[in-house]
Amino acid sequence: LPDSFLGFLEENGVDPSIYVPRYIRLKPGLSEIEDELNCKLENLVWLPGFFAIPPHVQIARSDAYRKGKIYGMDAASGAAVIALNVLQGDHILDLCAAPGAKLCMMSDLLGNLGTITGVDVARHRLAACRTMLQKYALGDHCRLFVADGTSFSLLPVSFSEWSSKRRWKDRKDAKKSMPELIFYGRHAGVVGLCKSELGYDKVLVDAECTHDGSIKHIHKFEHWGWDTLQRRVLNAQRTDNLMDLQLKLLTNGFRLLKVGGSLVYSTCSLTVAQNEDVVEQFLAGNPSADLQDVDAAKSWPCRMGRIPKTLRFDPSTSQTSGLFIAKFTKI
């Protein structure tokens, strides 16, 4: 790793030599998967359905992976979903849905009741979400919109309202163009269009960030070039721009949340600027937002952030990639 990034890790209290295992989430059939992968899976007692696997094991070529029985997902990312406390019947908004692992996990937890609306500004990345939903047969209650998460405004109403272009055009507050709907599950029920007093039961804002807490992501710079790391991760101007984006995403996600609902804000950055600083700015401007404890975290291998009730996962504390979690409700 370059000296500039090693200095960054030191500033954030992370040992760059720490071993970080890989994780998978799988459907029932553990012994079958172990035989096929020819390895022993280590059960994560604090996160049901997740298992650690040796770093040399390649899952992409296995039948279990091709048939949708397993998928790779860091345990800390799974914790962000569990923090949301998804219940059957919830209407859920995933405001930054790509690449889709959290979306699939939420759909799995949702079961046969409720809906999930996935939003992402990048069409090609959202198309990857669609592929994942289809591969793992989890898309029946989902719909995906290509849209800017800072201004997305569709809330649950009837499908007929969405399909009526006249209704859309007649609205005084209509945007110049509709968000592009690229996937609609057969039991998705509602897609949303106009203002609603109810809003979403649960909102996940897994915001765009510098990804500096993702060990897998940082390793990619060995191929992209360490000068690219300087531009994408360590550049102060980029961090300032991301903080502005993160605050706007969090604010809009909260606007779409119903009273009494739950919102989880997360990033895979280790920095205070993209986490606690954003939370403090958000709370200062939103008096109806109340920071909540994550009940499940009592058994998690994580530490409290600089703001009480916020959580931090990191390689040395959790043996996961870095992740920040803050949970809010609307009062």
Side-chain angles (χ1 to χ4, degrees), residues 274-300:
Q274 298 175 68
N275 296 310
E276 286 91 346
D277 287 356
V278 171
V279 168
E280 286 182 340
Q281 291 182 61
F282 169 72
L283 289 173
N286 293 273
S288 62
D290 186 32
L291 200 56
Q292 298 281 290
D293 284 311
V294 178
D295 293 335
K298 295 175 182 178
S299 63
W300 290 353

Side-chain angles (χ1 to χ4, degrees), residues 67-305:
K67 293 178 180 178
K69 296 180 180 179
I70 60 175
Y71 57 88
M73 182 178 184
D74 193 84
S77 296
V81 173
I82 296 299
L84 200 56
N85 190 28
V86 173
L87 303 174
Q88 288 200 1
D90 280 343
H91 293 293
I92 302 170
L93 173 63
D94 188 350
L95 203 54
C96 309
K102 295 181 183 70
L103 183 78
C104 285
M105 182 174 173
M106 288 190 292
S107 182
D108 217 1
L109 295 173
L110 193 63
N112 295 322
L113 296 173
T115 62
I116 298 181
T117 299
V119 177
D120 204 274
V121 70
R123 193 184 195 283
H124 69 283
R125 285 168 53 82
L126 199 63
C129 290
R130 178 177 58 193
T131 300
M132 286 190 69
L133 288 172
Q134 293 169 334
K135 173 181 178 179
Y136 294 102
L138 292 171
D140 282 355
H141 294 259
C142 298
R143 58 221 164 257
L144 302 177
F145 288 101
V146 179
D148 183 349
T150 65
S151 59
F152 183 78
S153 59
L154 308 189
L155 293 175
V157 295
S158 67
F159 179 75
S160 61
E161 289 190 77
W162 164 259
S163 59
S164 173
K165 292 183 179 180
R166 180 178 297 276
R167 178 183 291 272
W168 174 272
K169 291 179 180 179
D170 287 346
R171 288 181 51 78
K172 293 181 180 180
D173 59 347
K175 302 295 182 181
K176 293 183 179 180
S177 61
M178 291 185 291
E180 182 184 1
L181 178 66
I182 68 166
F183 181 81
Y184 185 82
R186 58 180 179 173
H187 299 307
V190 296
V191 296
L193 174 61
C194 58
K195 292 182 179 179
S196 166
E197 293 182 359
L198 296 178
Y200 291 93
D201 300 287
K202 307 286 169 61
V203 176
L204 176 64
V205 182
D206 186 45
E208 173 66 17
C209 67
T210 50
H211 305 287
D212 52 83
S214 171
I215 305 301
K216 181 179 179 181
H217 186 81
I218 293 301
H219 282 168
K220 294 179 181 179
F221 288 100
E222 290 182 336
H223 303 286
W224 295 343
W226 294 116
D227 58 330
T228 308
L229 175 72
Q230 183 68 40
R231 294 195 307 270
R232 293 190 180 183
V233 176
L234 306 180
N235 182 274
Q237 182 61 51
R238 171 167 166 76
T239 299
D240 290 343
N241 292 339
L242 280 173
M243 287 178 62
D244 181 63
L245 172 63
Q246 290 155 352
L247 181 59
K248 289 178 178 177
L249 288 167
L250 176 53
T251 300
N252 193 44
F254 187 75
R255 181 179 67 86
L256 299 172
L257 182 70
K258 77 174 188 179
V259 173
S262 297
L263 180 150
V264 165
Y265 171 77
S266 63
T267 83
C268 60
S269 172
L270 299 169
T271 67
V272 172
Q274 298 175 68
N275 296 310
E276 286 91 346
D277 287 356
V278 171
V279 168
E280 286 182 340
Q281 291 182 61
F282 169 72
L283 289 173
N286 293 273
S288 62
D290 186 32
L291 200 56
Q292 298 281 290
D293 284 311
V294 178
D295 293 335
K298 295 175 182 178
S299 63
W300 290 353
C302 59
R303 58 185 174 89
M304 186 177 70

Side-chain angles (χ1 to χ4, degrees), residues 299-318:
S299 63
W300 290 353
C302 59
R303 58 185 174 89
M304 186 177 70
R306 294 194 181 186
I307 299 175
K309 301 182 181 180
T310 63
L311 304 173
R312 279 184 171 272
F313 287 81
D314 62 67
S316 58
T317 302
S318 319

